[in-house]
Amino acid sequence: MNYWLMKSEPDVFGIDDLKSRKDQTEPWDGVRNYQARNMMRDDMKKGDQIFFYHSNCDVPGIVGIAEVVREGYPDHTSWDPESKYYDPKSNEENPRWFMVDVKYKKKFKRTISLNELREHAQVLSDLALLRKGNRLSINPVSKDQWDYICGLE
DNA sequence: GCCAACGTTGGC
DNA sequence: GCCAACGTTGGC
């Protein structure tokens, strides 16, 4: 099993939004970055665990856990001209962008903030999230990192 | 709102 | 293939 961290802006779609969705499940659409696409298309498997990260907000940090419930499939918003994620270079015959479905698992009692994670830089030195200039919306997390961060709650 | 870091685009 | 210009991300 693999572990991931996925960023989302709580003003747009936060963990409470995921929890209140039908089946507590949502397609992770709108990702328009090739590295992130490749991870969703090739690497994220059913049952993989996900840290749900809130970005661009008062206290950025990990707020809970989700799970991959459907593996990579074409992101149909990419060929919908009405969608804000529309990409004229993508179409149904030759989809350029992919997504996975994620399901709510739990919300942490408190936010494990980016600042707090930085305080553990000794242990989490390889955490992609903490690397300078990291803007990837999906990051791999090792099992050790996963267990350690879960222990912080 | 600012700005550093990074990705993408397109002319050459 | 280079690189300047531009757009986006995301912390602060």
Side-chain angles (χ1 to χ4, degrees):
Chain A
M1 186 198 293
N2 287 314
Y3 301 89
W4 309 92
L5 179 146
M6 297 175 97
K7 299 177 185 174
S8 189
E9 300 185 21
D11 289 348
V12 179
F13 187 82
I15 192 160
D16 293 329
D17 296 308
L18 180 61
K19 187 178 180 181
S20 63
R21 281 298 190 274
K22 183 173 182 291
D23 298 329
Q24 302 189 321
T25 298
E26 182 78 356
W28 204 267
D29 60 9
V31 172
R32 297 293 178 266
N33 170 282
Y34 288 104
Q35 271 181 272
R37 177 205 67 180
N38 292 348
M39 286 189 264
M40 288 199 291
R41 188 189 57 188
D42 306 331
D43 302 328
M44 297 181 78
K45 298 300 174 192
K46 206 169 172 177
D48 283 2
Q49 301 295 110
I50 302 160
F51 281 138
F52 200 112
Y53 180 90
H54 280 176
S55 66
N56 245 319
C57 54
D58 282 353
V59 184
I62 297 168
V63 293
I65 293 174
E67 179 179 323
V68 178
V69 292
R70 181 175 174 186
E71 296 177 9
Y73 63 107
D75 180 349
H76 56 79
T77 65
S78 68
W79 58 72
D80 174 7
E82 302 298 311
S83 169
K84 61 177 172 176
Y85 302 126
Y86 177 60
D87 177 354
K89 290 172 181 165
S90 182
N91 57 64
E92 231 168 323
E93 292 71 37
N94 193 12
R96 172 171 297 211
W97 303 110
F98 286 72
M99 59 188 178
V100 297
D101 286 356
V102 307
K103 179 169 185 167
Y104 172 87
K105 292 280 285 186
K106 69 175 283 191
K107 185 177 177 178
F108 288 157
K109 297 181 194 71
R110 62 185 189 86
T111 299
I112 302 173
S113 71
L114 179 60
N115 276 334
E116 180 176 353
L117 291 169
R118 286 208 181 99
E119 291 169 12
H120 299 269
Q122 290 265 10
V123 185
L124 300 174
S125 57
D126 291 330
L127 192 68
L129 179 75
L130 298 182
R131 279 208 290 268
K132 188 180 176 186
N134 167 53
R135 300 186 326 175
L136 255 191
S137 61
I138 304 176
N139 293 323
V141 175
S142 74
K143 173 156 177 41
D144 285 348
Q145 290 164 344
W146 178 273
D147 291 341
Y148 184 80
I149 292 169
C150 286
L152 296 176
E153 187 191 354

